[in-house]
Amino acid sequence: ELYSLEPSTGKTTGEEQVLLRGSGFVEGMTVRFGEAEAGTVFIVSSETASVTTPANFPGLATVRIAHPDGRSYEKVDGFLYYNEVSITEVDPAFGPTTGGMPVVISGSGFAPESHLIIGDTEAIGVQVLDDNTILAITPQGSNGSKDVYVSNSKGIGRLTDGYKYFA
């Protein structure tokens, strides 16, 4: 039986260690996250196993354990895959030092609690539309190119010189 996974979330790139808690764990069992088979499966005890997550698509994945003798069990929607936070584009990529410009931020790993920072100032009216899109209004800033950051519980994404202020 599979009771829990610690942690129960991870990046879509995989290669993260997850502890499985349950009962009846044995050598030779396989673990799948959705359709993808886990990398290394290390049996710590009959109640604990450590696995390396495989790469997968963003979203919930059912975790299935299969024993060599044919027994199997699963935890439906037991693991949540998410995209790493990254920024690929700011549109438009320039605006006045007075701020007030609507911008669209494209990337991945955006979450409802995301913060958007241009230079060292948080943007105004940040709206996360989905995993890939943020709408916001630029804050005031000093002349020149500024790094753009998106931060949330999944991490921090940075686009070097992603926005340029002009006087």
Side-chain angles (χ1 to χ4, degrees):
E1 199 166 342
L2 178 58
Y3 303 134
S4 66
L5 292 87
E6 300 166 18
S8 60
T9 63
K11 297 175 185 170
T12 55
T13 53
E15 298 300 316
E16 297 183 297
Q17 293 301 306
V18 173
L19 277 181
L20 307 179
R21 306 265 186 210
S23 62
F25 296 165
V26 296
E27 290 294 333
M29 72 179 203
T30 60
V31 179
R32 296 183 85 74
F33 287 71
E35 298 303 314
E37 189 166 337
T40 307
V41 177
F42 178 74
I43 305 300
V44 178
S45 71
S46 64
E47 298 173 343
T48 306
S50 175
V51 301
T52 303
T53 59
N56 220 322
F57 296 104
L60 291 167
T62 294
V63 180
R64 293 179 183 88
I65 294 177
H67 285 275
D69 66 7
R71 288 180 299 134
S72 66
Y73 29 87
E74 64 185 23
K75 187 160 189 64
V76 175
D77 296 340
F79 193 81
L80 175 64
Y81 278 98
Y82 60 84
N83 285 319
E84 292 188 66
V85 181
S86 68
I87 305 169
T88 55
E89 182 182 22
V90 178
D91 184 30
F94 55 88
T97 56
T98 55
M101 287 290 297
V103 291
V104 177
I105 310 300
S106 300
S108 66
F110 302 159
E113 79 279 4
S114 293
H115 295 274
L116 172 64
I117 298 149
I118 300 175
D120 57 6
T121 307
E122 189 154 1
I124 301 159
V126 174
Q127 296 178 31
V128 178
L129 297 186
D130 56 35
D131 187 73
N132 304 304
T133 312
I134 293 176
L135 302 178
I137 305 295
T138 60
Q140 290 182 344
S142 59
N143 207 33
S145 294
K146 307 295 177 199
D147 291 351
V148 178
Y149 302 89
V150 171
S151 68
N152 59 42
S153 61
K154 301 174 187 176
I156 299 173
R158 174 182 178 182
L159 183 60
T160 304
D161 296 334
Y163 191 79
K164 186 173 185 174
Y165 284 105
F166 59 83

